[in-house]
Amino acid sequence: MTSPASTDSVPPQLSAGPRPAPGPAADEGLARRLRALACTAPLHDLDARKANLAGEYSVYGMAEVALSAIDLVTLNMDFDTGADHEQIVARLIPRISAQAPHRPVAEHERVARWILENLINVGSVDRGFRAVYGTFAPDGSYVRRDYDFKLIEEVPGPGGTVYLRTTDEAVNVLVGALDTDVTSAQIAAEVKLEVLINRGRLADAQLAAEQARYRTVQYSESLRRALEATRRNVRAVDWLNAVPDMIAEALDHVADRYRHENAILTNIRKARDETEEPENKRRAAELVDIVKDCIRRHTQLQSRLLEAGPLFRAEQDRQAFATPMTTSGTDLYGHLLAPLLPLPLEQAGRVTGAFFARGTGLRTPVSVRVGDLVDILLTPPVEREHLGAEMPEPDLVATPDDSRFSENQLADAMRLLDLPADAPRRLSGLLAEARRVGGEELAYLVALLAVHAASPAVGTAYRQGEEKLLFAVDDGTQLDDPGFGGADLIVGTALLDAVGMAADRTEAA
């Protein structure tokens, strides 16, 4: 039996319940650092996965080249366009060849293209990266959250071209900060730049100038995304408060930067002319070029800011009075062929006659001039054979079978993927079983079918009367396989509504 004295001797911090977890405000710093760590993970992953390349690539520092690629894309993209893919590859090759000068140029080019493709994340569905981190909810519970981001993305350009643009996350990786306010970071960088120049520390001043230029690019990207969203849907952007405030702050920001940058440019030129050391002269000349580029980007940003208001009003008028789309495309199989096949020929002929009379377009008349019409009427008919002219014997050439997979391999793959509706499987398990059954080629075919099932054509399968459909879902699990990388998809079979499909066909008929 416990005495009262023993109860009183328990320290209050032990007798109380467990302390609640810190709330979102206290946990925001940890979440920011976790997101910053996630943005650098794809760069570290390049060095981890270079051993999987066919050949000896351990001599190359992949993360170093990746940072250079992000740097080149950031500095070569403009407000409306991006960086050219082939130009970035050509500029990366000298840096790669410096790491392994005895290797062939073709290998250096392959490394450059491999790094760019991985920064774009070509192998994924949405060409993005995903990281999972945890935060604490207001009630103290631990919540896992997904952080989706991209480093380099491909954007369409005029004439069917494709450009490369870096995202905010890539710029943050480059300058070593995440979720930083653009305006305050720009001011701090330029004040730091001015102080370093006045003290004669030109090497540190060059780094500060490059960081200030990256922040200018990031500011332009924020405005460009707002304008692009306005062109798509003017209601998706807050033009009542958020965007006008951003434009006003940006114009003030540009005016302040003009004054600072011109003063900094004067100090750099003075330091360049007064110094006697060749290295300092070279760094001062490079600083002059960087600050001139900052002034050029601010000039371009100012012109876009002044055009933002008229663009909003023009898009508002265009979208407000645009005629809404009332029709959708015709599915020849689901809307025409499937409902007509069960019908008698008499009923089906009326439907096809009406469809092709309106679907084939206008007919060009045989004669468009009176002279042509007279020639046609006065030309005597040509006597023809009763059975028509003799048909020439065609020369038939057997088409070579250049398909990679045989019919037997396709049948084996479909048997492996014929899963029960209530028993989905992991892609890693299917690949292992495919290797046991048919080797590496069958595993490759199973992987292709599983990736294709990540975006199943549900509507097409429904209209064609399919009773089940193969699907694949990414739940964030990493694929552990010797031959393939990416996500370990959950592959399963979904049953379609056969009764609903029969009712739709009857109604269409």
Side-chain angles (χ1 to χ4, degrees):
M1 186 173 182
T2 306
S3 63
S6 61
T7 304
D8 295 339
S9 62
V10 178
Q13 63 269 26
L14 297 180
S15 60
R19 296 180 61 187
D27 200 46
E28 182 60 29
L30 176 61
R32 183 180 293 112
R33 283 178 287 167
L34 290 173
R35 291 196 298 267
L37 187 63
C39 288
T40 62
L43 276 65
H44 300 300
D45 189 50
L46 293 174
D47 281 316
R49 290 191 296 108
K50 65 184 178 183
N52 298 333
L53 296 174
E56 180 57 42
Y57 291 88
S58 60
V59 67
Y60 297 106
M62 300 298 188
E64 176 186 340
V65 180
L67 276 176
S68 300
I70 295 174
D71 191 359
L72 288 173
V73 173
T74 303
L75 298 181
N76 283 276
M77 69 184 189
D78 214 337
F79 191 91
D80 296 318
T81 60
D84 182 70
H85 192 286
E86 296 302 322
Q87 184 181 8
I88 298 301
V89 171
R91 293 189 177 186
L92 281 177
I93 289 177
R95 177 176 288 272
I96 298 173
S97 63
Q99 297 182 358
H102 57 284
R103 299 290 180 90
V105 179
E107 180 178 302
H108 299 157
E109 182 178 355
R110 183 192 176 193
V111 172
R113 296 188 183 278
W114 182 77
I115 289 175
L116 264 184
E117 289 177 358
N118 280 272
L119 290 176
I120 302 171
N121 204 6
V122 174
S124 63
V125 177
D126 59 348
R127 298 201 169 186
F129 301 94
R130 170 173 292 182
V132 180
Y133 66 97
T135 58
F136 289 100
D139 59 356
S141 59
Y142 184 76
V143 181
R144 294 189 182 275
R145 302 185 184 278
D146 292 335
Y147 177 51
D148 297 314
F149 64 96
K150 296 180 179 180
L151 294 179
I152 297 179
E153 56 184 355
E154 295 175 318
V155 296
T161 57
V162 178
Y163 291 110
L164 301 179
R165 296 191 72 92
T166 52
T167 61
D168 282 346
E169 291 82 4
V171 176
N172 283 324
V173 168
L174 197 62
V175 301
L178 188 77
D179 290 346
T180 307
D181 179 67
V182 177
T183 306
S184 62
Q186 178 74 19
I187 295 172
E190 294 196 357
V191 170
K192 176 183 177 183
L193 173 60
E194 187 173 6
V195 171
L196 290 173
I197 292 173
N198 291 334
R199 294 182 178 178
R201 296 170 57 183
L202 296 182
D204 295 334
Q206 183 174 355
L207 178 60
E210 291 174 351
Q211 291 179 349
R213 181 166 54 177
Y214 296 141
R215 289 302 175 190
T216 304
V217 173
Q218 192 175 14
Y219 210 104
S220 300
E221 282 294 290
S222 301
L223 177 64
R224 186 185 65 85
R225 284 198 304 271
L227 296 181
E228 281 188 356
T230 302
R231 292 188 182 97
R232 290 192 297 268
N233 184 7
V234 72
R235 296 182 180 87
V237 183
D238 182 12
W239 277 92
L240 185 62
N241 296 313
V243 177
D245 292 345
M246 182 191 74
I247 292 175
E249 292 175 1
L251 288 172
D252 294 339
H253 161 80
V254 170
D256 292 339
R257 300 288 70 75
Y258 274 141
R259 289 191 293 270
H260 281 84
E261 286 163 354
N262 282 290
I264 290 171
L265 196 59
T266 302
N267 292 334
I268 298 174
R269 287 169 175 164
K270 182 179 178 181
R272 180 193 60 188
D273 297 338
E274 292 179 354
T275 184
E276 298 295 336
E277 297 182 9
E279 180 66 19
N280 288 342
K281 280 187 176 293
R282 184 185 64 82
R283 290 192 180 276
E286 292 176 354
L287 273 172
V288 170
D289 294 336
I290 294 174
V291 175
K292 281 184 177 179
D293 185 53
C294 289
I295 294 175
R296 180 189 65 83
R297 291 178 183 272
H298 279 133
T299 304
Q300 187 181 47
L301 177 60
Q302 184 186 31
S303 64
R304 299 298 179 180
L305 289 169
L306 296 177
E307 295 172 359
L311 183 142
F312 161 67
R313 289 187 289 272
E315 288 297 325
Q316 188 180 37
D317 293 340
R318 182 184 68 82
Q319 297 178 25
F321 296 103
T323 304
M325 293 292 293
T326 57
T327 59
S328 59
T330 302
D331 182 4
L332 292 179
Y333 182 90
H335 295 163
L336 183 65
L337 183 59
L340 289 181
L341 288 178
L343 296 181
L345 182 61
E346 180 184 0
Q347 299 179 16
R350 291 198 299 269
V351 177
T352 54
F355 173 80
F356 287 107
R358 294 167 175 79
T360 54
L362 301 176
R363 292 184 179 180
T364 305
V366 177
S367 61
V368 295
R369 297 182 301 173
V370 177
D372 296 336
L373 180 61
V374 172
D375 290 340
I376 292 174
L377 292 176
L378 297 181
T379 301
V382 179
E383 293 185 4
R384 301 179 181 178
E385 296 289 338
H386 177 66
L387 298 178
E390 184 179 358
M391 297 294 295
E393 189 70 22
D395 295 332
L396 302 179
V397 178
T399 304
D401 186 10
D402 56 354
S403 60
R404 176 174 178 176
F405 306 104
S406 64
E407 294 292 335
N408 293 333
Q409 288 176 327
L410 180 60
D412 292 339
M414 297 309 295
R415 277 195 297 270
L416 286 174
L417 296 175
D418 188 13
L419 305 172
D422 57 347
R425 296 184 60 184
R426 288 281 185 186
L427 177 59
S428 55
L430 291 171
L431 293 177
E433 186 174 351
R435 287 191 179 92
R436 290 195 299 269
V437 173
E440 195 65 33
E441 284 295 305
L442 183 59
Y444 193 88
L445 179 56
V446 169
L448 285 178
L449 294 173
V451 171
H452 181 71
S455 180
V458 180
T460 303
Y462 185 85
R463 289 191 297 270
Q464 294 181 1
E466 301 288 343
E467 297 183 356
K468 56 184 181 179
L469 179 68
L470 187 69
F471 70 92
V473 179
D474 179 12
D475 65 342
T477 305
Q478 194 76 12
L479 178 62
D480 185 12
D481 188 86
F484 303 95
D488 195 358
L489 301 175
I490 300 176
V491 184
T493 302
L495 300 180
L496 300 179
D497 184 8
V499 178
M501 288 187 284
D504 289 345
R505 289 199 195 94
T506 305
E507 183 179 352

